[in-house]
Amino acid sequence: MSTILVVGATGFLGSEICRQLTTAGSSVRGLVRDTSDPTKVSKLKSLDVETVQGDVRDRASLEDACKGVTAVISTVSSMPFAYQPEVNDVQKVDLEGVTNLIEAAKANHVSHFTYTSIPEDTELDFPLDHAKREVERRLKGSGLEYTILRPSYFMEVWLSPAVGFDAANAKAAIYGSGRNPISWIAVQDVAKFAVASLDHPAAKNATLDLGGPEALNPLAVVKLFEQVGGRSFEVQFVPEEALEAQQAAATDPMQKSFSALMRLYAKGNPIEMSALLETFGIQPTTVDQYAKRVLTPSAKRAA
């Protein structure tokens, strides 16, 4: 049986990819660091994922991890949760580390490499975008068969308290006017595309811009959550000028990158997905479905 290496396996996207692969009967190897959360590692093992210790900053460990592997799926990033300045950062992980992984995959004759990137924008200048675009360029020039996934804004991150969207307490921070549509996408749907990329002909040497089934502006999202939860939201607007000033003043690469991502949110990121969804046969999660998933437990507790 062919083995698939998932790098970033303990992350929220990587772990979901592992779950979907093992559920489908695939042999999966997950790269974990010696500092990885033991609970997350145990969860991978419970899914019958073979765990192997390694680090994208350590090329030798990647050589071992790639041995006997037919495909690599990389979701690894220093942002936002693993970030440590000058230790585990954009330069060392997102650029140099993933480049190490591409080289190790090539040296071990891996058949396919799936890389998770971010939406492309030619107007804003920030470190994470530099790293992602350069890795895309290196992957395309590596000679490996590849798929580049560029998912839009994850519902589980950008419609969560982590960035000011606190549905449980009916509060939302809106970046910009809130009137520009975004094709919000669920983690499980990005994982579905990652799994499909391994053998679907439409994914071969392709770059796929991914979004959900509908483009909704943030104000429409708030209204939808209000309808589902039966509560009015307290909304706070963060002007684009404030985000621009925040990015300009930031000295840390993560701060600069996160400010830029909030500016991109303010600009909107609509993606026409109908043709791609039909091609891959994927039925994506709607924002309404996500809202019901988030709010139903609290609604039951309140009752």
Side-chain angles (χ1 to χ4, degrees):
M1 180 184 291
S2 60
T3 299
I4 302 157
L5 174 66
V6 178
V7 181
T10 58
F12 71 114
L13 175 57
S15 60
E16 174 62 14
I17 291 171
C18 288
R19 187 193 68 78
Q20 290 188 21
L21 285 169
T22 55
T23 299
S26 298
S27 173
V28 182
R29 182 180 297 169
L31 188 74
V32 300
R33 295 192 296 170
D34 56 5
T35 56
S36 293
D37 184 338
T39 302
K40 294 180 179 179
V41 176
S42 295
K43 181 181 177 182
L44 291 176
K45 291 179 178 178
S46 72
L47 294 171
D48 292 327
V49 174
E50 173 200 356
T51 59
V52 57
Q53 279 203 2
D55 193 311
V56 293
R57 298 168 299 176
D58 176 8
R59 171 64 190 274
S61 71
L62 299 179
E63 292 286 347
D64 292 337
C66 285
K67 286 178 180 176
V69 165
T70 54
V72 171
I73 300 177
S74 175
T75 67
V76 69
S77 177
S78 63
M79 289 185 58
F81 305 115
Y83 188 85
Q84 293 178 268
E86 299 183 4
V87 177
N88 202 73
D89 58 16
V90 172
Q91 178 70 24
K92 293 186 180 298
V93 174
D94 295 84
L95 178 54
E96 296 172 4
V98 181
T99 297
N100 286 339
L101 182 60
I102 292 170
E103 292 172 350
K106 184 175 181 180
N108 283 275
H109 309 290
V110 169
S111 299
H112 189 90
F113 194 110
T114 296
Y115 172 58
T116 308
S117 187
I118 61 174
E120 184 175 34
D121 184 272
T122 57
E123 296 180 14
L124 298 186
D125 180 39
F126 58 101
L128 183 63
D129 184 70
H130 291 171
K132 294 290 189 180
R133 300 289 86 84
E134 179 59 19
V135 169
E136 288 183 12
R137 186 188 69 79
R138 294 180 185 184
L139 179 56
K140 289 177 181 179
S142 68
L144 291 165
E145 181 181 291
Y146 68 86
T147 304
I148 296 168
L149 305 177
R150 292 177 178 169
S152 182
Y153 286 78
F154 288 96
M155 298 179 193
E156 291 83 356
V157 175
W158 292 90
L159 300 180
S160 80
V163 291
F165 196 98
D166 187 356
N169 292 301
K171 296 181 180 180
I174 301 294
Y175 304 105
S177 69
R179 300 187 183 279
N180 296 321
I182 295 172
S183 293
W184 316 91
I185 191 166
V187 168
Q188 66 184 28
D189 298 327
V190 180
K192 288 177 183 177
F193 277 102
V195 172
S197 73
L198 300 178
D199 53 23
H200 199 294
K204 182 178 179 180
N205 295 333
T207 299
L208 306 179
D209 294 305
L210 304 179
E214 56 193 344
L216 297 176
N217 70 45
L219 292 178
V221 171
V222 168
K223 286 185 179 180
L224 194 153
F225 270 79
E226 288 177 336
Q227 292 169 358
V228 171
R231 300 171 64 188
S232 295
F233 268 53
E234 177 186 335
V235 177
Q236 177 184 4
F237 290 90
V238 183
E240 289 190 61
E241 295 78 10
L243 298 173
E244 185 176 357
Q246 181 178 314
Q247 184 184 357
T251 56
D252 180 82
M254 185 179 78
Q255 294 172 346
K256 279 186 175 293
S257 297
F258 198 70
S259 297
L261 291 172
M262 289 189 285
R263 291 179 66 191
L264 289 174
Y265 164 122
K267 289 172 62 177
N269 186 43
I271 300 170
E272 172 50 53
M273 284 294 295
S274 56
L276 203 60
L277 293 174
E278 184 177 353
T279 297
F280 283 85
I282 290 174
Q283 296 293 324
T285 306
T286 65
V287 176
D288 180 70
Q289 289 170 329
Y290 175 71
K292 289 173 180 174
R293 190 168 76 216
V294 169
L295 291 173
T296 297
S298 60
K300 286 181 179 179
R301 285 195 298 270

